[in-house]
Amino acid sequence: MATPIITDGTMDKLVKAPRVVLPSGAGLFKERATRCEALAANSDTGAYLRFLSHVCRGQSKAYGARQALPVSERAIANSREHGMPPLSAHVFPRDPQWRSDLRDILESVESVSSSGNTQLSSVISAIRSTLDTDPTGLEAIADRLIAGLSEPQDGPMVPFVGAALQVYFTRLAATLSPDDVGACDVATVCPCCGMRPTASLVRIDPDRNNYRYLICALCMTEWNMERVKCTSCEEEKGVGYLTLEAEGASTADAAVRAETCDECKTYLKIFVQEKDPQVDPIVDDLNSLALDMLVDEKGYARTGPNLLFYPGHE
Ligand SMILES: [Zn+2]
Ligand SMILES: [Zn+2]
């Protein structure tokens, strides 16, 4: 596919890479599950990674089980003309379809989990019960997750609710064309749904080799941002990199780094495909929580969520 040449307004220079790359479909979740399984084979948190692989397989199955509903013409027009994210997650009128996605994910995880995992069984039962008896309460959990305001009692349900919302919004995003997604005034949120990115990824694809893309936490849209620039305050002067690599290894050799900013004291991880072509911004993020702890100890606050993450859940 030909790549359009677009003007980067901040630097007034030509950038030959797509500005926005919309998600490709169910294959994305399947590949993520495969990545989880590969990581689990060589990890001391193998059980957790296998659980994640089951969630991602459930996402793949749910994705293929139903069609996206049409996105309103008005939302697309507002995006094209005014840069308003067409799927603005904080106000988007979610169809109950996402709750069917959630049921599929629960069923999929349950079918492959060991019957002795009583903790997991009780979480699945609790979500099913909420689906059946209190859909409004479940919508409120989803609203809080999207707003970044989850409450302690939401905790164990969060990875499942997050997984279902990812399926629902990714399916919608995949029906759009890049032309439907206008340039958002705020470069640090997803131009398609307005959520923060989970991480950024330096690509090796031929049409965007060596370009950095932010990966939406919710709809899996990717959008281009220059490298060595804070993904929160967009300053360049205070940007640094931290890794967990063994002593003597160079930061530049690491596939997983924390990009820190001394201007706003925040960080987000950056993954480098050239160092590991299979790296996945969502699951490799969850496989590198020790790096979050290190960076947190140094006083940097993380800016983007991972919707499959629940502290303490294993
Ligand atoms: Zn998004
Ligand atoms: Zn910053």
Side-chain angles (χ1 to χ4, degrees):
M1 194 179 83
T3 52
I5 294 176
I6 59 160
T7 303
D8 176 334
T10 57
M11 299 293 283
D12 199 25
K13 70 181 182 189
L14 289 177
V15 177
K16 196 181 170 192
R19 175 180 60 86
V20 172
V21 178
L22 292 160
S24 54
L28 183 154
F29 296 110
K30 206 169 158 191
E31 283 169 23
R32 190 160 288 159
T34 305
R35 174 64 173 173
C36 289
E37 284 151 15
L39 290 171
N42 299 305
S43 171
D44 50 10
T45 55
Y48 175 56
L49 289 161
R50 274 188 288 279
F51 161 75
L52 286 175
S53 80
H54 299 156
V55 172
C56 296
R57 292 239 175 260
Q59 287 183 294
S60 173
K61 193 176 155 208
Y63 190 100
R66 44 197 70 84
Q67 299 276 321
L69 298 165
V71 179
S72 83
E73 290 293 328
R74 201 169 126 211
I76 292 172
N78 280 337
S79 180
R80 285 180 167 177
E81 287 159 30
H82 307 296
M84 292 163 67
L87 307 179
S88 195
H90 298 79
V91 293
F92 192 80
R94 286 188 303 272
D95 186 88
Q97 188 187 63
W98 82 270
R99 302 202 298 260
S100 301
D101 294 327
L102 178 55
R103 284 185 192 277
D104 281 0
I105 293 167
L106 295 177
E107 192 184 304
S108 184
V109 171
E110 193 173 46
S111 70
V112 289
S113 299
S114 65
S115 54
N117 192 337
T118 50
Q119 195 186 358
L120 180 58
S121 299
S122 73
V123 171
I124 289 176
S125 299
I127 300 173
R128 281 222 179 94
S129 163
T130 312
L131 274 165
D132 292 338
T133 62
D134 185 17
T136 310
L138 200 69
E139 293 293 341
I141 293 173
D143 285 342
R144 288 195 289 271
L145 179 57
I146 287 170
L149 299 170
S150 290
E151 293 178 358
Q153 72 269 20
D154 301 342
M157 298 193 190
V158 160
F160 294 99
V161 171
L165 291 171
Q166 282 179 344
V167 169
Y168 174 74
F169 278 97
T170 301
R171 194 194 283 122
L172 284 166
T175 66
L176 299 174
S177 86
D179 290 343
D180 295 334
V181 181
C184 187
D185 284 348
V186 187
T188 56
V189 301
C190 175
C192 190
C193 78
M195 283 286 283
R196 297 274 314 154
T198 292
S200 69
L201 180 63
V202 179
R203 289 280 186 182
I204 53 172
D205 313 25
D207 64 340
R208 41 186 180 142
N209 188 25
N210 228 12
Y211 284 97
R212 186 256 286 270
Y213 283 79
L214 301 186
I215 314 295
C216 178
L218 181 65
C219 80
M220 301 302 140
T221 292
E222 303 184 17
W223 68 106
N224 180 236
M225 182 181 277
E226 287 169 69
R227 294 171 68 172
V228 199
K229 183 176 196 173
C230 173
T231 58
S232 181
C233 73
E234 298 182 66
E235 281 293 335
E236 294 168 26
K237 58 188 173 196
V239 172
Y241 296 90
L242 291 169
T243 66
L244 280 177
E245 290 306 295
E247 215 169 307
S250 155
T251 304
D253 290 333
V256 184
R257 308 169 198 173
E259 187 174 63
T260 58
C261 173
D262 285 331
E263 290 296 304
C264 67
K265 294 304 270 184
T266 67
Y267 78 98
L268 200 66
K269 284 181 201 156
I270 177 164
F271 298 94
V272 184
Q273 275 191 329
E274 189 189 9
K275 306 296 176 192
D276 183 350
Q278 308 304 323
V279 75
D280 178 274
I282 307 297
V283 296
D284 282 77
D285 174 41
L286 296 173
N287 192 42
S288 55
L289 297 177
L291 179 57
D292 293 272
M293 289 166 71
L294 170 88
V295 182
D296 183 70
E297 279 168 14
K298 292 185 183 294
Y300 298 99
R302 181 170 163 139
T303 57
N306 188 320
L307 301 190
L308 304 185
F309 176 66
Y310 166 54
H313 180 84
E314 289 188 17

